[in-house]
Amino acid sequence: MRNYFYINRLSICLLLGAAVILAGCGDPILDIEESNAYHWQKNMNEAEFEKLKEGMTYMEAVKIAGGAGEMLKKDQYRWNDEILMTKAYNVRFKDDKLVNKEISEVKGKKK
């Protein structure tokens, strides 16, 4: 009977420890995106684009934008404009450092 008590106590401690570890292993990008009140806030606007500086990491760009960019190529991401649907912000990274940013026009798809 005494061994059962210690085994039960040990299993509860292990369960609580596992829960704490799993809670700390969240996806930081998902946490940033879920903090937005509206879906469109995951996109970028011109003021946020101007805050992006050479040498920033991708995660810093995600924090400024409020969401992850769409990967176009390896180390190249695009955020759609959250206000105007006619432009997008392209950002290129090298070794996880921002090296180039530009604004591009988004054209409608031909039918």
Side-chain angles (χ1 to χ4, degrees), residues 32-45:
I32 291 168
E33 289 180 345
E34 287 181 348
S35 70
N36 294 321
Y38 301 101
H39 177 74
W40 54 265
Q41 289 176 323
K42 297 176 190 176
N43 295 323
M44 192 178 287
N45 61 44

Side-chain angles (χ1 to χ4, degrees), residues 62-87:
V62 169
K63 287 177 185 175
I64 289 172
E70 174 189 352
M71 184 186 283
L72 301 175
K73 298 179 189 174
K74 184 181 186 303
D75 295 332
Q76 189 173 354
Y77 297 88
R78 180 176 90 177
W79 283 267
N80 291 323
D81 189 272
E82 65 186 33
I83 299 168
L84 302 171
M85 294 296 135
T86 58
K87 63 180 170 179

